[in-house]
Amino acid sequence: MSQKRTRRIRDDSDDDYRAGSSSQRIKTDPTTTNWDADAFQRKVNDTVRYALACEYKRTPIRRDEVNKKILQERSRDFNRVQQAANRKLQHLFGLEMVDLLPKEKPSLDKNKSTTKPTSTIKSYILCNTLSNEVRTPELIHRSDEEYHNTGLLYVILSLIFTNEQIMSEMDLTEHLDRLGVTDESRAFGDREKVLDSFVKQNYLTRDKVAGDQQNETTREYYWGPRARAEITDEDIIGFITSVYGSDTNEESMKDNILKAAGFDMR
């Protein structure tokens, strides 16, 4: 997970950003808007604030909300404002606004579409663009709760990934029980609430599925849109192999992980 950020952006505190190269400065196009440079910059700053507030709460950045609350009658200029806000987010915070992918259930049949019907409303999330060299505990500070939840999230994503990328609630519960992640756990508290928070933040998708018995339904988990946007297959494979230490054959381990994930390794 990216770090929670509470730093406020002030219109008069962007000296470093404004003093950069001309390619970083915001320029208006009189053919598409009657805003002056200052008015346009205020809209960009407001969009950056809104994006950071959404990231702090781990909620999607919704295009319709930007249009309604910030751009109002100038909604046709969304793309220009969004692009300028994205440049500012990258320059000041090392964050990038990217499309929030639709919820998609994994399928081993690559020719079969599994994308769920979704809203036509465009949504985004912020992803960290900083290099791994500077993403260290010494430079980026997190609370113990954040570290605990991030570790648990990666464990859950790893379990799902190595179960052909989808897992029943019963299987996930059994794994978490063996790991000591129960409602009595001091580190995590109510387990169901933690899972609910991961679902709400779009790290996990939870679906109801028909059970074996009549009228019985169960639930299953797979990676949510935010997890797919923030975490690559290589990232999760690297996390899993790191758990086993340096004594294992890394290439053999990677092959086994990919096979467990349902990939054809022939």
Side-chain angles (χ1 to χ4, degrees):
M1 293 187 203
S2 56
Q3 180 186 13
K4 292 182 179 179
R5 299 167 186 272
T6 58
R7 174 179 174 180
R8 298 182 59 191
I9 306 173
R10 296 174 297 173
D11 291 344
D12 59 352
S13 67
D14 298 331
D15 295 339
D16 291 340
Y17 179 77
R18 296 176 186 271
S21 64
S22 59
S23 63
Q24 292 175 331
R25 296 174 182 173
I26 306 302
K27 296 182 179 180
T28 59
D29 183 353
T31 64
T32 59
T33 181
N34 57 6
W35 284 335
D36 59 25
D38 288 340
F40 184 75
Q41 186 64 57
R42 284 195 294 272
K43 296 298 183 182
V44 171
N45 288 345
D46 288 343
T47 302
V48 170
R49 291 189 186 98
Y50 171 70
L52 291 174
C54 289
E55 177 62 18
Y56 182 83
K57 295 182 291 185
R58 291 292 194 275
T59 57
I61 304 160
R62 293 166 55 96
R63 176 171 180 159
D64 63 332
E65 287 295 306
V66 174
N67 288 336
K68 178 182 178 181
K69 297 179 179 179
I70 300 173
L71 303 185
Q72 299 173 351
E73 73 277 2
R74 308 302 302 186
S75 60
R76 68 179 181 275
D77 290 311
F78 174 86
N79 288 339
R80 293 180 60 247
V81 172
Q82 189 259 352
Q83 290 168 7
N86 219 2
R87 290 194 295 271
K88 196 164 191 178
L89 284 163
Q90 289 178 318
H91 179 77
L92 295 177
F93 300 100
L95 296 170
E96 180 181 14
M97 197 185 305
V98 301
D99 291 346
L100 183 64
L101 302 173
K103 294 180 180 180
E104 185 175 2
K105 186 174 181 178
S107 173
L108 299 183
D109 184 357
K110 302 305 180 183
N111 297 319
K112 183 179 179 181
S113 174
T114 57
T115 302
K116 290 183 173 182
T118 57
S119 171
T120 58
I121 297 173
K122 191 83 168 177
S123 297
Y124 309 86
I125 60 171
L126 295 184
C127 285
N128 199 324
T129 62
L130 298 176
S131 64
N132 290 331
E133 287 74 16
V134 298
R135 295 168 68 176
T136 63
E138 292 77 18
L139 297 176
I140 300 179
H141 301 286
R142 295 186 174 95
S143 66
D144 289 343
E145 181 181 2
E146 285 182 282
Y147 277 118
H148 292 159
N149 286 340
T150 300
L152 177 59
L153 174 64
Y154 265 73
V155 168
I156 292 173
L157 292 176
S158 299
L159 291 169
I160 294 171
F161 187 77
T162 53
N163 195 66
E164 296 189 345
Q165 304 183 52
I166 192 165
M167 179 171 279
S168 70
E169 184 173 48
M170 180 181 297
D171 287 344
L172 179 59
T173 298
E174 289 177 354
H175 281 294
L176 294 178
D177 284 342
R178 285 195 291 269
L179 291 171
V181 182
T182 64
D183 289 340
E184 291 76 29
S185 170
R186 288 187 177 182
F188 304 107
D190 190 324
R191 182 173 63 189
E192 188 68 18
K193 286 185 178 180
V194 175
L195 292 173
D196 287 345
S197 70
F198 291 155
V199 171
K200 183 178 180 180
Q201 295 165 12
N202 284 299
Y203 282 110
L204 294 176
T205 297
R206 181 170 54 202
D207 274 347
K208 289 184 178 180
V209 293
D212 295 334
Q213 299 179 9
Q214 190 176 6
N215 297 328
E216 180 186 357
T217 59
T218 60
R219 299 192 296 185
E220 60 187 9
Y221 288 87
Y222 49 92
W223 284 29
R226 181 181 285 271
R228 290 191 287 119
E230 291 185 1
I231 305 168
T232 65
D233 291 352
E234 291 75 17
D235 290 335
I236 207 68
I237 290 171
F239 171 77
I240 296 171
T241 55
S242 70
V243 172
Y244 288 88
S246 58
D247 295 335
T248 59
N249 184 316
E250 188 170 332
E251 289 305 316
S252 176
M253 173 70 70
K254 289 181 180 179
D255 288 344
N256 289 333
I257 293 171
L258 290 171
K259 289 178 183 177
F263 291 99
D264 187 352
M265 302 303 295
R266 291 177 294 178

